[in-house]
Amino acid sequence: ATDDGRAIICNGSIQAFAPAGITTYDIPSGVNAIANQVFRGASELVYVNIPTGVKSIGELAFFECTSLREIYIPDSVNSIERSAFQYCSGLDRMTIGKGLTSVGEYAFQYCSGLTSITLPNSLTSIGNYAFQYCSGLTNITLPNSLTSIGEKTFKDCSGLTSLTLPNSLTSIGSYAFYGCTGLTS
């Protein structure tokens, strides 16, 4: 257990978290992974500090953290797994570090508060449904390293107005931009 008694860390991975009454949490340094479902449903959580050294954010790690407003993902993180931030509707500020190579399926689905995202040049793939229903998203920067966009990845991102697809793309899944009614260029 951590010194504050809020989390259990095993082999460098944060495995469990007691969210009651906590709005801000600093994950202790030395953690190298955020396990599946650790912060799931922590509805009072507004801000989490992820330290440098964390390499992956597990499946459903922050699922339904509806009050989560801001997240900084350090350069050390190379993967955001399936549904990691799904239904984080309050998330409106996100910084993604330079080490990210993959965004899993449903990772940010229904994050309607997100308005702008810059994805790093290390990113090669975005999974199916990853940003689906991010209706507040008006701007996204896709890196030149991106080779694949999954199916329905940006489906119903109605606030998206323009997009530049990189030359590196080799595949775009079906309905990837379906329902992007604001897209003009």
Side-chain angles (χ1 to χ4, degrees):
T2 55
D3 291 340
D4 62 7
R6 289 282 179 187
I8 294 174
I9 299 171
C10 182
N11 295 327
S13 176
I14 186 166
Q15 297 288 321
F17 176 71
I22 295 292
T23 58
T24 300
Y25 188 69
D26 292 328
I27 295 173
S29 60
V31 169
N32 59 32
I34 298 172
N36 298 346
Q37 303 189 42
V38 171
F39 296 95
R40 182 178 182 161
S43 60
E44 295 177 37
L45 202 56
V46 176
Y47 176 78
V48 174
N49 179 31
I50 300 173
T52 298
V54 171
K55 293 180 177 25
S56 65
I57 299 172
E59 291 184 13
L60 302 155
F62 295 93
F63 183 84
E64 289 186 334
C65 290
T66 53
S67 296
L68 189 64
R69 298 273 330 257
E70 180 178 1
I71 197 85
Y72 169 75
I73 299 169
D75 293 347
S76 59
V77 173
N78 55 40
S79 67
I80 297 173
E81 301 299 327
R82 184 176 204 260
S83 301
F85 294 94
Q86 189 177 20
Y87 290 103
C88 290
S89 55
L91 188 61
D92 62 2
R93 288 184 300 272
M94 181 171 59
T95 303
I96 299 176
K98 299 174 194 169
L100 189 65
T101 59
S102 66
V103 174
E105 293 181 335
Y106 308 99
F108 296 96
Q109 187 185 46
Y110 289 103
C111 290
S112 55
L114 282 177
T115 58
S116 179
I117 301 170
T118 300
L119 297 169
N121 284 326
S122 54
L123 188 70
T124 58
S125 67
I126 303 173
N128 299 337
Y129 314 96
F131 293 96
Q132 183 182 26
Y133 302 120
C134 291
S135 55
L137 191 60
T138 58
N139 180 29
I140 188 159
T141 303
L142 299 175
N144 289 328
S145 57
L146 190 63
T147 58
S148 69
I149 295 174
E151 66 181 54
K152 300 179 184 175
T153 297
F154 296 100
K155 183 180 179 288
D156 292 316
C157 289
S158 55
L160 199 57
T161 57
S162 67
L163 183 69
T164 301
L165 297 174
N167 291 332
S168 57
L169 272 176
T170 57
S171 70
I172 299 174
S174 60
Y175 299 99
F177 299 98
Y178 184 82
C180 293
T181 55
L183 203 55
T184 56
S185 66

PDB file of all heavy atoms in Angstrom, residues 84-108:
ATOM      1  N   ALA A  84      -9.722   3.006 -22.023  1.00  0.00           N
ATOM      2  CA  ALA A  84      -9.015   3.605 -20.888  1.00  0.00           C
ATOM      3  C   ALA A  84      -9.691   4.857 -20.341  1.00  0.00           C
ATOM      4  O   ALA A  84      -9.762   5.044 -19.125  1.00  0.00           O
ATOM      5  CB  ALA A  84      -7.571   3.905 -21.257  1.00  0.00           C
ATOM      6  N   PHE A  85     -10.199   5.729 -21.195  1.00  0.00           N
ATOM      7  CA  PHE A  85     -10.844   6.970 -20.766  1.00  0.00           C
ATOM      8  C   PHE A  85     -12.292   7.052 -21.265  1.00  0.00           C
ATOM      9  O   PHE A  85     -12.885   8.125 -21.292  1.00  0.00           O
ATOM     10  CB  PHE A  85     -10.057   8.183 -21.265  1.00  0.00           C
ATOM     11  CG  PHE A  85      -8.695   8.301 -20.648  1.00  0.00           C
ATOM     12  CD1 PHE A  85      -7.578   7.760 -21.282  1.00  0.00           C
ATOM     13  CD2 PHE A  85      -8.515   8.930 -19.429  1.00  0.00           C
ATOM     14  CE1 PHE A  85      -6.322   7.853 -20.713  1.00  0.00           C
ATOM     15  CE2 PHE A  85      -7.257   9.033 -18.851  1.00  0.00           C
ATOM     16  CZ  PHE A  85      -6.157   8.485 -19.498  1.00  0.00           C
ATOM     17  N   GLN A  86     -12.858   5.949 -21.646  1.00  0.00           N
ATOM     18  CA  GLN A  86     -14.217   5.918 -22.182  1.00  0.00           C
ATOM     19  C   GLN A  86     -15.203   6.505 -21.163  1.00  0.00           C
ATOM     20  O   GLN A  86     -15.123   6.226 -19.973  1.00  0.00           O
ATOM     21  CB  GLN A  86     -14.604   4.481 -22.522  1.00  0.00           C
ATOM     22  CG  GLN A  86     -15.901   4.348 -23.278  1.00  0.00           C
ATOM     23  CD  GLN A  86     -16.190   2.893 -23.647  1.00  0.00           C
ATOM     24  OE1 GLN A  86     -15.646   1.964 -23.063  1.00  0.00           O
ATOM     25  NE2 GLN A  86     -17.041   2.703 -24.623  1.00  0.00           N
ATOM     26  N   TYR A  87     -16.114   7.327 -21.647  1.00  0.00           N
ATOM     27  CA  TYR A  87     -17.148   7.985 -20.830  1.00  0.00           C
ATOM     28  C   TYR A  87     -16.587   9.005 -19.836  1.00  0.00           C
ATOM     29  O   TYR A  87     -17.246   9.323 -18.850  1.00  0.00           O
ATOM     30  CB  TYR A  87     -18.013   6.970 -20.091  1.00  0.00           C
ATOM     31  CG  TYR A  87     -18.921   6.173 -20.999  1.00  0.00           C
ATOM     32  CD1 TYR A  87     -18.602   4.863 -21.324  1.00  0.00           C
ATOM     33  CD2 TYR A  87     -20.082   6.721 -21.532  1.00  0.00           C
ATOM     34  CE1 TYR A  87     -19.416   4.113 -22.164  1.00  0.00           C
ATOM     35  CE2 TYR A  87     -20.895   5.986 -22.369  1.00  0.00           C
ATOM     36  CZ  TYR A  87     -20.574   4.684 -22.679  1.00  0.00           C
ATOM     37  OH  TYR A  87     -21.373   3.947 -23.510  1.00  0.00           O
ATOM     38  N   CYS A  88     -15.414   9.539 -20.088  1.00  0.00           N
ATOM     39  CA  CYS A  88     -14.892  10.637 -19.260  1.00  0.00           C
ATOM     40  C   CYS A  88     -15.402  11.936 -19.881  1.00  0.00           C
ATOM     41  O   CYS A  88     -14.651  12.707 -20.483  1.00  0.00           O
ATOM     42  CB  CYS A  88     -13.366  10.600 -19.204  1.00  0.00           C
ATOM     43  SG  CYS A  88     -12.702   9.212 -18.271  1.00  0.00           S
ATOM     44  N   SER A  89     -16.692  12.175 -19.746  1.00  0.00           N
ATOM     45  CA  SER A  89     -17.365  13.281 -20.434  1.00  0.00           C
ATOM     46  C   SER A  89     -16.890  14.659 -19.987  1.00  0.00           C
ATOM     47  O   SER A  89     -17.018  15.629 -20.730  1.00  0.00           O
ATOM     48  CB  SER A  89     -18.871  13.170 -20.249  1.00  0.00           C
ATOM     49  OG  SER A  89     -19.194  13.103 -18.875  1.00  0.00           O
ATOM     50  N   GLY A  90     -16.324  14.784 -18.805  1.00  0.00           N
ATOM     51  CA  GLY A  90     -15.822  16.069 -18.320  1.00  0.00           C
ATOM     52  C   GLY A  90     -14.414  16.390 -18.769  1.00  0.00           C
ATOM     53  O   GLY A  90     -13.934  17.508 -18.587  1.00  0.00           O
ATOM     54  N   LEU A  91     -13.727  15.419 -19.360  1.00  0.00           N
ATOM     55  CA  LEU A  91     -12.337  15.608 -19.783  1.00  0.00           C
ATOM     56  C   LEU A  91     -12.275  16.666 -20.880  1.00  0.00           C
ATOM     57  O   LEU A  91     -12.820  16.491 -21.965  1.00  0.00           O
ATOM     58  CB  LEU A  91     -11.767  14.283 -20.289  1.00  0.00           C
ATOM     59  CG  LEU A  91     -10.277  14.228 -20.613  1.00  0.00           C
ATOM     60  CD1 LEU A  91      -9.439  14.522 -19.372  1.00  0.00           C
ATOM     61  CD2 LEU A  91      -9.910  12.858 -21.164  1.00  0.00           C
ATOM     62  N   ASP A  92     -11.623  17.796 -20.569  1.00  0.00           N
ATOM     63  CA  ASP A  92     -11.530  18.861 -21.569  1.00  0.00           C
ATOM     64  C   ASP A  92     -10.105  19.329 -21.838  1.00  0.00           C
ATOM     65  O   ASP A  92      -9.867  20.079 -22.772  1.00  0.00           O
ATOM     66  CB  ASP A  92     -12.437  20.041 -21.210  1.00  0.00           C
ATOM     67  CG  ASP A  92     -12.077  20.722 -19.896  1.00  0.00           C
ATOM     68  OD1 ASP A  92     -11.098  20.325 -19.244  1.00  0.00           O
ATOM     69  OD2 ASP A  92     -12.799  21.658 -19.518  1.00  0.00           O
ATOM     70  N   ARG A  93      -9.154  18.864 -21.055  1.00  0.00           N
ATOM     71  CA  ARG A  93      -7.746  19.228 -21.283  1.00  0.00           C
ATOM     72  C   ARG A  93      -6.903  17.960 -21.213  1.00  0.00           C
ATOM     73  O   ARG A  93      -6.930  17.247 -20.218  1.00  0.00           O
ATOM     74  CB  ARG A  93      -7.272  20.232 -20.240  1.00  0.00           C
ATOM     75  CG  ARG A  93      -7.859  21.607 -20.423  1.00  0.00           C
ATOM     76  CD  ARG A  93      -7.292  22.598 -19.425  1.00  0.00           C
ATOM     77  NE  ARG A  93      -7.552  22.232 -18.025  1.00  0.00           N
ATOM     78  CZ  ARG A  93      -8.630  22.573 -17.347  1.00  0.00           C
ATOM     79  NH1 ARG A  93      -9.568  23.272 -17.903  1.00  0.00           N
ATOM     80  NH2 ARG A  93      -8.770  22.210 -16.085  1.00  0.00           N
ATOM     81  N   MET A  94      -6.162  17.735 -22.284  1.00  0.00           N
ATOM     82  CA  MET A  94      -5.328  16.536 -22.321  1.00  0.00           C
ATOM     83  C   MET A  94      -4.036  16.860 -23.067  1.00  0.00           C
ATOM     84  O   MET A  94      -4.062  17.435 -24.147  1.00  0.00           O
ATOM     85  CB  MET A  94      -6.069  15.401 -23.026  1.00  0.00           C
ATOM     86  CG  MET A  94      -5.276  14.128 -23.074  1.00  0.00           C
ATOM     87  SD  MET A  94      -6.232  12.724 -23.675  1.00  0.00           S
ATOM     88  CE  MET A  94      -6.724  13.269 -25.285  1.00  0.00           C
ATOM     89  N   THR A  95      -2.930  16.462 -22.461  1.00  0.00           N
ATOM     90  CA  THR A  95      -1.629  16.592 -23.099  1.00  0.00           C
ATOM     91  C   THR A  95      -1.080  15.186 -23.241  1.00  0.00           C
ATOM     92  O   THR A  95      -1.057  14.424 -22.273  1.00  0.00           O
ATOM     93  CB  THR A  95      -0.665  17.439 -22.231  1.00  0.00           C
ATOM     94  OG1 THR A  95      -1.268  18.713 -21.996  1.00  0.00           O
ATOM     95  CG2 THR A  95       0.668  17.615 -22.927  1.00  0.00           C
ATOM     96  N   ILE A  96      -0.674  14.835 -24.461  1.00  0.00           N
ATOM     97  CA  ILE A  96      -0.149  13.500 -24.726  1.00  0.00           C
ATOM     98  C   ILE A  96       1.335  13.627 -25.052  1.00  0.00           C
ATOM     99  O   ILE A  96       1.722  14.387 -25.932  1.00  0.00           O
ATOM    100  CB  ILE A  96      -0.898  12.826 -25.891  1.00  0.00           C
ATOM    101  CG1 ILE A  96      -2.380  12.669 -25.539  1.00  0.00           C
ATOM    102  CG2 ILE A  96      -0.283  11.476 -26.216  1.00  0.00           C
ATOM    103  CD1 ILE A  96      -3.233  12.107 -26.637  1.00  0.00           C
ATOM    104  N   GLY A  97       2.156  12.858 -24.332  1.00  0.00           N
ATOM    105  CA  GLY A  97       3.598  12.883 -24.515  1.00  0.00           C
ATOM    106  C   GLY A  97       4.063  12.284 -25.829  1.00  0.00           C
ATOM    107  O   GLY A  97       3.277  11.717 -26.594  1.00  0.00           O
ATOM    108  N   LYS A  98       5.357  12.378 -26.068  1.00  0.00           N
ATOM    109  CA  LYS A  98       5.972  12.004 -27.347  1.00  0.00           C
ATOM    110  C   LYS A  98       6.168  10.515 -27.568  1.00  0.00           C
ATOM    111  O   LYS A  98       6.541  10.099 -28.643  1.00  0.00           O
ATOM    112  CB  LYS A  98       7.332  12.690 -27.470  1.00  0.00           C
ATOM    113  CG  LYS A  98       7.266  14.188 -27.443  1.00  0.00           C
ATOM    114  CD  LYS A  98       8.671  14.765 -27.433  1.00  0.00           C
ATOM    115  CE  LYS A  98       8.628  16.232 -27.072  1.00  0.00           C
ATOM    116  NZ  LYS A  98       9.959  16.758 -26.810  1.00  0.00           N
ATOM    117  N   GLY A  99       5.927   9.676 -26.567  1.00  0.00           N
ATOM    118  CA  GLY A  99       6.222   8.254 -26.694  1.00  0.00           C
ATOM    119  C   GLY A  99       5.074   7.369 -27.126  1.00  0.00           C
ATOM    120  O   GLY A  99       5.261   6.181 -27.393  1.00  0.00           O
ATOM    121  N   LEU A 100       3.870   7.911 -27.213  1.00  0.00           N
ATOM    122  CA  LEU A 100       2.686   7.112 -27.497  1.00  0.00           C
ATOM    123  C   LEU A 100       2.741   6.500 -28.900  1.00  0.00           C
ATOM    124  O   LEU A 100       2.919   7.205 -29.883  1.00  0.00           O
ATOM    125  CB  LEU A 100       1.427   7.975 -27.358  1.00  0.00           C
ATOM    126  CG  LEU A 100       0.097   7.249 -27.411  1.00  0.00           C
ATOM    127  CD1 LEU A 100      -0.058   6.311 -26.216  1.00  0.00           C
ATOM    128  CD2 LEU A 100      -1.047   8.254 -27.446  1.00  0.00           C
ATOM    129  N   THR A 101       2.575   5.169 -28.986  1.00  0.00           N
ATOM    130  CA  THR A 101       2.581   4.493 -30.289  1.00  0.00           C
ATOM    131  C   THR A 101       1.212   3.965 -30.682  1.00  0.00           C
ATOM    132  O   THR A 101       0.931   3.790 -31.857  1.00  0.00           O
ATOM    133  CB  THR A 101       3.591   3.325 -30.322  1.00  0.00           C
ATOM    134  OG1 THR A 101       3.250   2.383 -29.301  1.00  0.00           O
ATOM    135  CG2 THR A 101       5.017   3.822 -30.126  1.00  0.00           C
ATOM    136  N   SER A 102       0.341   3.701 -29.692  1.00  0.00           N
ATOM    137  CA  SER A 102      -0.981   3.181 -30.044  1.00  0.00           C
ATOM    138  C   SER A 102      -2.063   3.667 -29.086  1.00  0.00           C
ATOM    139  O   SER A 102      -1.828   3.822 -27.892  1.00  0.00           O
ATOM    140  CB  SER A 102      -0.971   1.658 -30.069  1.00  0.00           C
ATOM    141  OG  SER A 102      -0.758   1.143 -28.776  1.00  0.00           O
ATOM    142  N   VAL A 103      -3.234   3.902 -29.670  1.00  0.00           N
ATOM    143  CA  VAL A 103      -4.428   4.255 -28.912  1.00  0.00           C
ATOM    144  C   VAL A 103      -5.411   3.123 -29.155  1.00  0.00           C
ATOM    145  O   VAL A 103      -5.772   2.834 -30.298  1.00  0.00           O
ATOM    146  CB  VAL A 103      -5.021   5.609 -29.379  1.00  0.00           C
ATOM    147  CG1 VAL A 103      -6.349   5.879 -28.683  1.00  0.00           C
ATOM    148  CG2 VAL A 103      -4.050   6.747 -29.130  1.00  0.00           C
ATOM    149  N   GLY A 104      -5.833   2.453 -28.107  1.00  0.00           N
ATOM    150  CA  GLY A 104      -6.707   1.291 -28.215  1.00  0.00           C
ATOM    151  C   GLY A 104      -8.149   1.610 -28.559  1.00  0.00           C
ATOM    152  O   GLY A 104      -8.578   2.769 -28.521  1.00  0.00           O
ATOM    153  N   GLU A 105      -8.899   0.557 -28.869  1.00  0.00           N
ATOM    154  CA  GLU A 105     -10.323   0.685 -29.184  1.00  0.00           C
ATOM    155  C   GLU A 105     -11.062   1.377 -28.048  1.00  0.00           C
ATOM    156  O   GLU A 105     -10.784   1.126 -26.876  1.00  0.00           O
ATOM    157  CB  GLU A 105     -10.944  -0.697 -29.378  1.00  0.00           C
ATOM    158  CG  GLU A 105     -10.450  -1.432 -30.585  1.00  0.00           C
ATOM    159  CD  GLU A 105     -11.139  -2.788 -30.734  1.00  0.00           C
ATOM    160  OE1 GLU A 105     -11.608  -3.362 -29.718  1.00  0.00           O
ATOM    161  OE2 GLU A 105     -11.217  -3.253 -31.879  1.00  0.00           O
ATOM    162  N   TYR A 106     -11.997   2.244 -28.409  1.00  0.00           N
ATOM    163  CA  TYR A 106     -12.877   2.933 -27.465  1.00  0.00           C
ATOM    164  C   TYR A 106     -12.132   3.810 -26.454  1.00  0.00           C
ATOM    165  O   TYR A 106     -12.746   4.283 -25.493  1.00  0.00           O
ATOM    166  CB  TYR A 106     -13.738   1.937 -26.673  1.00  0.00           C
ATOM    167  CG  TYR A 106     -14.502   0.946 -27.502  1.00  0.00           C
ATOM    168  CD1 TYR A 106     -14.007  -0.349 -27.686  1.00  0.00           C
ATOM    169  CD2 TYR A 106     -15.716   1.272 -28.086  1.00  0.00           C
ATOM    170  CE1 TYR A 106     -14.705  -1.281 -28.437  1.00  0.00           C
ATOM    171  CE2 TYR A 106     -16.419   0.348 -28.839  1.00  0.00           C
ATOM    172  CZ  TYR A 106     -15.908  -0.924 -29.009  1.00  0.00           C
ATOM    173  OH  TYR A 106     -16.602  -1.847 -29.759  1.00  0.00           O
ATOM    174  N   ALA A 107     -10.840   4.043 -26.625  1.00  0.00           N
ATOM    175  CA  ALA A 107     -10.022   4.713 -25.602  1.00  0.00           C
ATOM    176  C   ALA A 107     -10.607   6.020 -25.095  1.00  0.00           C
ATOM    177  O   ALA A 107     -10.580   6.288 -23.892  1.00  0.00           O
ATOM    178  CB  ALA A 107      -8.605   4.936 -26.118  1.00  0.00           C
ATOM    179  N   PHE A 108     -11.138   6.851 -25.984  1.00  0.00           N
ATOM    180  CA  PHE A 108     -11.696   8.150 -25.588  1.00  0.00           C
ATOM    181  C   PHE A 108     -13.155   8.300 -26.036  1.00  0.00           C
ATOM    182  O   PHE A 108     -13.672   9.407 -26.104  1.00  0.00           O
ATOM    183  CB  PHE A 108     -10.845   9.278 -26.166  1.00  0.00           C
ATOM    184  CG  PHE A 108      -9.448   9.304 -25.631  1.00  0.00           C
ATOM    185  CD1 PHE A 108      -8.417   8.703 -26.340  1.00  0.00           C
ATOM    186  CD2 PHE A 108      -9.157   9.893 -24.413  1.00  0.00           C
ATOM    187  CE1 PHE A 108      -7.122   8.704 -25.840  1.00  0.00           C
ATOM    188  CE2 PHE A 108      -7.866   9.896 -23.905  1.00  0.00           C
ATOM    189  CZ  PHE A 108      -6.848   9.300 -24.625  1.00  0.00           C
TER     190      PHE A 108
END
